[in-house]
Amino acid sequence: MYEWIQWLHLAAGIVWLGGMSLLLWAVRPAAIAQLAPPERLPLLHSVLSRFFVLVWMAIAVLLASGGWMFTTADMKLAPRGWHAMAGLGTLMCVIFAHLYFAPFQRLKKAVAAQDWPAAAQALGQIHPLVLTNFILGWTAVTAVMVWR
């Protein structure tokens, strides 16, 4: 049972980190290079809308599986990497919630109103938050691998 829960945890992390990798290093740069704001901003909004559904599901799986795995160990004896991952993962969830409920909602409204400067500003606020979560996610993975 533990191995399946651990697999779910890992799979959810891969979905979140992999999606951020694709967005940061492929989709966003290609869209900026090839599309004008009236085409680019609705596309990026649509991509983010779909991806964020996956992120919410990944967060639910990560929190449930991580919490379950913590209950199988004495917290005092759990590896430092587990504690680091729990702290960094919680911070990532808080950052994502802010990203989703603040700048992403502004992006959604601006795209619906075809207010391209406001949409670009909202995307400009989303990008550093995604980049921060990307760095935090890989830091958490590294912590688990190093602090066993």
Side-chain angles (χ1 to χ4, degrees):
M1 175 77 162
Y2 184 88
E3 290 78 13
W4 285 106
I5 300 296
Q6 189 177 37
W7 181 87
L8 285 172
H9 193 79
L10 180 61
I14 289 170
V15 166
W16 195 359
L17 283 173
M20 287 190 290
S21 298
L22 181 68
L23 286 169
L24 288 168
W25 312 121
V27 174
R28 182 178 179 271
I32 289 170
Q34 296 183 7
L35 301 172
E39 293 85 31
R40 176 177 67 239
L41 296 166
L43 171 70
L44 292 175
H45 169 260
S46 183
V47 169
L48 290 174
S49 294
R50 287 168 173 78
F51 176 57
F52 288 169
V53 170
L54 294 174
V55 173
W56 282 118
M57 291 188 303
I59 286 172
V61 170
L62 287 162
L63 292 175
S65 60
W68 185 86
M69 286 188 288
F70 254 127
T71 65
T72 66
D74 182 345
M75 293 290 277
K76 295 176 191 170
L77 300 177
R80 288 184 297 169
W82 286 21
H83 292 282
M85 178 176 268
L88 291 168
T90 301
L91 179 58
M92 288 176 68
C93 292
V94 169
I95 290 170
F96 177 74
H98 167 71
L99 178 162
Y100 184 84
F101 290 112
F104 180 68
Q105 297 307 313
R106 289 192 290 274
L107 173 65
K108 184 190 291 189
K109 289 177 187 170
V111 167
Q114 297 184 350
D115 182 352
W116 307 130
Q121 182 180 11
L123 267 176
Q125 295 167 338
I126 290 170
H127 180 258
L129 296 170
V130 173
L131 187 57
T132 299
N133 265 357
F134 180 79
I135 293 166
L136 290 172
W138 284 108
T139 302
V141 169
T142 302
V144 166
M145 297 304 298
V146 172
W147 290 332
R148 292 179 174 254

